[in-house]
PDB file of all heavy atoms in Angstrom:
ATOM      1  N   ILE K 342       1.954  21.685   3.264  1.00 96.00           N
ATOM      2  CA  ILE K 342       1.341  22.075   4.545  1.00 96.00           C
ATOM      3  C   ILE K 342      -0.134  21.673   4.541  1.00 96.00           C
ATOM      4  O   ILE K 342      -0.635  21.088   5.515  1.00 96.00           O
ATOM      5  CB  ILE K 342       1.491  23.586   4.821  1.00 96.00           C
ATOM      6  CG1 ILE K 342       2.978  23.924   4.975  1.00 96.00           C
ATOM      7  CG2 ILE K 342       0.727  23.982   6.084  1.00 96.00           C
ATOM      8  CD1 ILE K 342       3.256  25.393   5.243  1.00 96.00           C
ATOM      9  N   SER K 343      -0.811  21.941   3.440  1.00 95.00           N
ATOM     10  CA  SER K 343      -2.236  21.568   3.431  1.00 95.00           C
ATOM     11  C   SER K 343      -2.392  20.050   3.412  1.00 95.00           C
ATOM     12  O   SER K 343      -3.330  19.508   4.002  1.00 95.00           O
ATOM     13  CB  SER K 343      -2.976  22.269   2.298  1.00 95.00           C
ATOM     14  OG  SER K 343      -2.870  21.562   1.126  1.00 95.00           O
ATOM     15  N   ASP K 344      -1.480  19.328   2.763  1.00 95.00           N
ATOM     16  CA  ASP K 344      -1.542  17.856   2.823  1.00 95.00           C
ATOM     17  C   ASP K 344      -1.272  17.345   4.242  1.00 95.00           C
ATOM     18  O   ASP K 344      -1.866  16.372   4.688  1.00 95.00           O
ATOM     19  CB  ASP K 344      -0.525  17.224   1.869  1.00 95.00           C
ATOM     20  CG  ASP K 344      -0.966  17.334   0.413  1.00 95.00           C
ATOM     21  OD1 ASP K 344      -2.100  17.770   0.164  1.00 95.00           O
ATOM     22  OD2 ASP K 344      -0.162  16.983  -0.476  1.00 95.00           O
ATOM     23  N   TYR K 345      -0.324  18.023   4.935  1.00 96.00           N
ATOM     24  CA  TYR K 345      -0.023  17.632   6.319  1.00 96.00           C
ATOM     25  C   TYR K 345      -1.281  17.768   7.185  1.00 96.00           C
ATOM     26  O   TYR K 345      -1.581  16.906   8.006  1.00 96.00           O
ATOM     27  CB  TYR K 345       1.097  18.520   6.875  1.00 96.00           C
ATOM     28  CG  TYR K 345       1.455  18.222   8.318  1.00 96.00           C
ATOM     29  CD1 TYR K 345       2.501  17.372   8.639  1.00 96.00           C
ATOM     30  CD2 TYR K 345       0.724  18.808   9.365  1.00 96.00           C
ATOM     31  CE1 TYR K 345       2.818  17.098   9.964  1.00 96.00           C
ATOM     32  CE2 TYR K 345       1.034  18.539  10.681  1.00 96.00           C
ATOM     33  CZ  TYR K 345       2.078  17.681  10.979  1.00 96.00           C
ATOM     34  OH  TYR K 345       2.373  17.409  12.292  1.00 96.00           O
ATOM     35  N   ASP K 346      -2.022  18.853   6.951  1.00 95.00           N
ATOM     36  CA  ASP K 346      -3.208  19.110   7.775  1.00 95.00           C
ATOM     37  C   ASP K 346      -4.432  18.324   7.317  1.00 95.00           C
ATOM     38  O   ASP K 346      -5.385  18.177   8.072  1.00 95.00           O
ATOM     39  CB  ASP K 346      -3.535  20.610   7.772  1.00 95.00           C
ATOM     40  CG  ASP K 346      -2.519  21.400   8.584  1.00 95.00           C
ATOM     41  OD1 ASP K 346      -2.002  20.840   9.571  1.00 95.00           O
ATOM     42  OD2 ASP K 346      -2.234  22.560   8.228  1.00 95.00           O
ATOM     43  N   ASN K 347      -4.414  17.845   6.073  1.00 95.00           N
ATOM     44  CA  ASN K 347      -5.576  17.102   5.538  1.00 95.00           C
ATOM     45  C   ASN K 347      -5.122  15.808   4.865  1.00 95.00           C
ATOM     46  O   ASN K 347      -5.320  15.645   3.658  1.00 95.00           O
ATOM     47  CB  ASN K 347      -6.337  17.955   4.517  1.00 95.00           C
ATOM     48  CG  ASN K 347      -6.868  19.213   5.154  1.00 95.00           C
ATOM     49  OD1 ASN K 347      -7.857  19.180   5.879  1.00 95.00           O
ATOM     50  ND2 ASN K 347      -6.203  20.323   4.886  1.00 95.00           N
ATOM     51  N   PRO K 348      -4.543  14.895   5.606  1.00 95.00           N
ATOM     52  CA  PRO K 348      -4.080  13.658   4.950  1.00 95.00           C
ATOM     53  C   PRO K 348      -5.280  12.773   4.604  1.00 95.00           C
ATOM     54  O   PRO K 348      -6.365  12.945   5.172  1.00 95.00           O
ATOM     55  CB  PRO K 348      -3.214  12.983   6.022  1.00 95.00           C
ATOM     56  CG  PRO K 348      -3.703  13.536   7.319  1.00 95.00           C
ATOM     57  CD  PRO K 348      -4.291  14.878   7.051  1.00 95.00           C
ATOM     58  N   PRO K 349      -5.113  11.847   3.634  1.00 95.00           N
ATOM     59  CA  PRO K 349      -6.223  10.951   3.311  1.00 95.00           C
ATOM     60  C   PRO K 349      -6.601  10.092   4.515  1.00 95.00           C
ATOM     61  O   PRO K 349      -7.765   9.748   4.712  1.00 95.00           O
ATOM     62  CB  PRO K 349      -5.680  10.085   2.171  1.00 95.00           C
ATOM     63  CG  PRO K 349      -4.187  10.252   2.202  1.00 95.00           C
ATOM     64  CD  PRO K 349      -3.909  11.567   2.830  1.00 95.00           C
ATOM     65  N   PHE K 350      -5.603   9.727   5.286  1.00 96.00           N
ATOM     66  CA  PHE K 350      -5.790   8.985   6.538  1.00 96.00           C
ATOM     67  C   PHE K 350      -4.472   9.021   7.308  1.00 96.00           C
ATOM     68  O   PHE K 350      -3.439   9.415   6.750  1.00 96.00           O
ATOM     69  CB  PHE K 350      -6.241   7.538   6.322  1.00 96.00           C
ATOM     70  CG  PHE K 350      -5.573   6.782   5.197  1.00 96.00           C
ATOM     71  CD1 PHE K 350      -4.268   7.060   4.820  1.00 96.00           C
ATOM     72  CD2 PHE K 350      -6.241   5.772   4.519  1.00 96.00           C
ATOM     73  CE1 PHE K 350      -3.643   6.361   3.800  1.00 96.00           C
ATOM     74  CE2 PHE K 350      -5.623   5.072   3.484  1.00 96.00           C
ATOM     75  CZ  PHE K 350      -4.324   5.378   3.123  1.00 96.00           C
ATOM     76  N   THR K 351      -4.536   8.680   8.583  1.00 97.00           N
ATOM     77  CA  THR K 351      -3.288   8.525   9.330  1.00 97.00           C
ATOM     78  C   THR K 351      -3.125   7.039   9.575  1.00 97.00           C
ATOM     79  O   THR K 351      -3.969   6.407  10.222  1.00 97.00           O
ATOM     80  CB  THR K 351      -3.342   9.280  10.677  1.00 97.00           C
ATOM     81  OG1 THR K 351      -3.587  10.660  10.396  1.00 97.00           O
ATOM     82  CG2 THR K 351      -2.044   9.140  11.437  1.00 97.00           C
ATOM     83  N   ILE K 352      -2.055   6.477   9.020  1.00 98.00           N
ATOM     84  CA  ILE K 352      -1.806   5.045   9.173  1.00 98.00           C
ATOM     85  C   ILE K 352      -0.660   4.860  10.162  1.00 98.00           C
ATOM     86  O   ILE K 352       0.392   5.506  10.015  1.00 98.00           O
ATOM     87  CB  ILE K 352      -1.406   4.410   7.817  1.00 98.00           C
ATOM     88  CG1 ILE K 352      -2.486   4.637   6.761  1.00 98.00           C
ATOM     89  CG2 ILE K 352      -1.078   2.933   7.984  1.00 98.00           C
ATOM     90  CD1 ILE K 352      -3.753   3.880   6.958  1.00 98.00           C
ATOM     91  N   VAL K 353      -0.876   4.001  11.130  1.00 98.00           N
ATOM     92  CA  VAL K 353       0.198   3.714  12.077  1.00 98.00           C
ATOM     93  C   VAL K 353       0.452   2.205  12.069  1.00 98.00           C
ATOM     94  O   VAL K 353      -0.431   1.418  12.417  1.00 98.00           O
ATOM     95  CB  VAL K 353      -0.173   4.186  13.500  1.00 98.00           C
ATOM     96  CG1 VAL K 353       0.981   3.908  14.455  1.00 98.00           C
ATOM     97  CG2 VAL K 353      -0.523   5.668  13.501  1.00 98.00           C
ATOM     98  N   GLY K 354       1.642   1.851  11.651  1.00 98.00           N
ATOM     99  CA  GLY K 354       2.050   0.443  11.737  1.00 98.00           C
ATOM    100  C   GLY K 354       2.745   0.263  13.072  1.00 98.00           C
ATOM    101  O   GLY K 354       3.872   0.740  13.253  1.00 98.00           O
TER     102      GLY K 354
END
Side-chain angles (χ1 to χ4, degrees):
I342 296 180
S343 86
D344 286 353
Y345 178 95
D346 288 328
N347 299 284
F350 41 30
T351 301
I352 302 290
V353 182

